[in-house]
Amino acid sequence: RCPSPSSSTTGAEQREKQYRAHRGFGDRRGGVISARTYFYADEAKCDQHMETFLRCIDASGGSSEDGFSAIKLTALGRPQFLLQFSEVLVKWRRFFHQMAAEQGQAGRAALEMKLEVEKLQEALANLGIATKAESQHWFTGENLGVSGTVDLLDWNSLIDSRTKLSKLLLIPNMQTGQLEPLLSRFTEEEDLQMKRMLQRMDVLAKRATEKGVRLMVDAEQSYFQPAISRLTLEMQRRFNRDRAIIFNTYQCYLKEAYDNVTVDVELSRREGWHFGTKLVRGAYMEQERERAAQIGYEDPINPTYEKTNEMYHRCLDYILEEIKHSRKANVMVASHNEDTVKFTLRRMMELGIHPSEKKVYFGQLLGMCDQITFPLGQAGFPVYKYVPYGPVNEVLPYLSRRAQENRGFMERANQERDLLWREVKRRLLAGSLFSPNH
């Protein structure tokens, strides 16, 4: 029997619209204030993008001992694949929450939900998904189900690409009550496109490792993000064994940001690799909201700027605590917000995280917020300038959008100028213009 639909399940069904292609899917420029958006032309164009990223990695490795280079996955493959893969991951996660609700665990935090294996197997059998004998081997791994329970990370591992389980599994469609394949069969060409995307990511990660450059995988629109994060996790598993080479990006204007951060940190703990992340506020707000209203799903963005700030500091604090306990986490605080920088410095001091450990980095856009960047650098903190590059006709609109987004930065520049002028006058009056120590 299929579980009876609940209001939360109905909402989840509605939310799946977010991961389906729609009329305006081909053009993702509208409503994007501050980010570069790539369009899929063909595989040759993706190879060109990869070559550009390789040159960028080389340039970063040649100009800095501990450089970073940013890449976008929509530049390396067909975005339609990312959309389809995201839908699969979201359906699978929703099914877990549905089973958890059946076991009376609705409302718990994602990592606190633990399904009893016996009950789970019974539910799978009752739904006609798999007999108890068929599902028995799913829960006999080294760690999976040993405790008699399965949590979200165990559940996610069941559709790991290595198990091929996703191609076989049927799950109930709550709207029709019918069992449907979790993963619609990809065409041979789509399968090849996926493999090529993974190969390009592999080439970039290997080059970054050789050059001593960290690779930041940029966050993109929320309907691609589950797939982007999953593919990035696969890269982290392979390349972050000894140090953090691959950094995932979390957009803190998303309502799910904290859940996503905590689940991924826990995975890194269990598997023993170094967690690397860049935290940003987010770049696609207007577009995300317009698309949600147009297609009819819940707006994925936090309702206010204050809520986004709270989310940013909550996620950041969680990662800083992880650094304190394991020293295997790393975070790039990518922010032009002075309060966020002050918050980070205060928490680092309280937690005993010294800047020389190079576990916490700061990043601002080139040409913006120098009054934050330079004092941090002078105080010994690892601080980076994010350098946009490309044809003038593409880079100038990008920079003008960033200036629009950060229109408060001119105000801060004036504030910095006033502070400098005040210091010059103080030194003149004290007769020590070139010696700040007197």
Side-chain angles (χ1 to χ4, degrees), residues 245-303:
I245 296 286
I246 309 298
F247 279 59
N248 200 358
T249 303
Y250 297 88
Q251 301 186 100
C252 294
Y253 70 0
L254 293 177
K255 293 170 183 173
E256 294 186 341
Y258 184 75
D259 280 350
N260 294 337
V261 167
T262 53
V263 166
D264 291 351
V265 167
E266 176 60 23
L267 182 67
S268 72
R269 283 184 199 131
R270 290 187 192 181
E271 297 184 343
W273 43 268
H274 289 249
F275 179 80
T277 179
K278 178 174 75 165
L279 280 187
V280 300
R281 277 174 169 75
Y284 304 95
M285 184 171 73
E286 289 179 28
Q287 187 189 53
E288 293 277 13
R289 287 190 166 148
E290 188 181 330
R291 188 176 189 270
Q294 182 185 347
I295 304 176
Y297 59 85
E298 185 192 346
D299 180 359
I301 307 292
N302 283 317

Side-chain angles (χ1 to χ4, degrees), residues 221-240:
Q221 287 91 340
S222 63
Y223 40 94
F224 297 131
Q225 199 53 46
I228 289 171
S229 288
R230 182 63 184 245
L231 294 172
T232 305
L233 277 175
E234 288 301 320
M235 291 168 70
Q236 288 179 314
R237 280 172 156 161
R238 292 181 55 204
F239 292 95
N240 286 12

Side-chain angles (χ1 to χ4, degrees), residues 96 99-100 103 105 108-117 119-120 147-152 154 266 270:
F96 173 85
M99 295 289 101
Q103 292 193 18
Q105 297 190 40
R108 290 191 185 179
L111 278 174
E112 289 174 12
M113 291 181 177
K114 297 187 190 298
L115 306 184
E116 292 181 33
V117 171
K119 287 183 182 176
L120 177 58
S147 61
T149 61
V150 170
D151 67 9
L152 183 59
D154 297 327
E266 176 60 23
R270 290 187 192 181

Side-chain angles (χ1 to χ4, degrees), residues 330-362:
N330 305 258
V331 60
M332 162 72 80
V333 181
S335 177
H336 294 149
N337 187 296
E338 288 182 21
D339 290 337
T340 292
V341 172
K342 287 174 183 172
F343 172 85
T344 311
L345 298 178
R346 177 172 59 80
R347 291 298 288 141
M348 285 177 71
M349 196 183 306
E350 290 168 357
L351 295 168
I353 302 168
H354 197 271
S356 64
E357 293 180 64
K358 295 188 176 178
K359 295 293 182 185
V360 182
Y361 314 92
F362 295 88

Side-chain angles (χ1 to χ4, degrees), residues 300-316:
I301 307 292
N302 283 317
T304 64
Y305 185 74
E306 288 69 34
K307 287 286 181 191
T308 293
N309 274 348
E310 285 174 26
M311 180 66 83
Y312 194 105
H313 291 177
R314 190 181 178 205
C315 292
L316 177 55

Side-chain angles (χ1 to χ4, degrees), residues 20-136:
R20 293 181 190 141
H22 72 296
R23 191 164 44 84
F25 174 74
D27 189 345
R28 303 189 302 285
R29 287 168 294 196
V32 179
I33 291 177
S34 59
R36 176 81 169 89
T37 299
Y38 286 92
F39 298 89
Y40 180 77
D42 52 36
E43 293 297 301
K45 191 69 177 172
C46 292
D47 284 334
Q48 284 178 29
H49 289 149
M50 182 186 75
E51 291 299 329
T52 300
F53 288 150
L54 285 170
R55 288 197 297 275
C56 185
I57 290 167
D58 290 345
S60 181
S63 61
S64 171
E65 281 184 20
D66 296 300
F68 281 93
S69 188
I71 64 169
K72 270 184 160 43
L73 290 201
T74 52
L76 297 176
R78 186 166 171 258
Q80 183 73 23
F81 157 68
L82 292 172
L83 197 72
Q84 284 176 293
F85 190 26
S86 289
E87 185 179 5
V88 168
L89 295 169
V90 167
K91 274 185 178 179
W92 188 239
R93 189 162 176 164
R94 177 173 67 82
F95 188 36
F96 173 85
H97 286 292
Q98 179 187 316
M99 295 289 101
E102 288 281 300
Q103 292 193 18
Q105 297 190 40
R108 290 191 185 179
L111 278 174
E112 289 174 12
M113 291 181 177
K114 297 187 190 298
L115 306 184
E116 292 181 33
V117 171
E118 289 284 333
K119 287 183 182 176
L120 177 58
Q121 288 179 302
E122 283 171 22
L124 292 170
N126 291 339
L127 289 166
I129 292 168
T131 66
K132 206 160 183 181
E134 286 170 334
S135 65
Q136 193 72 42

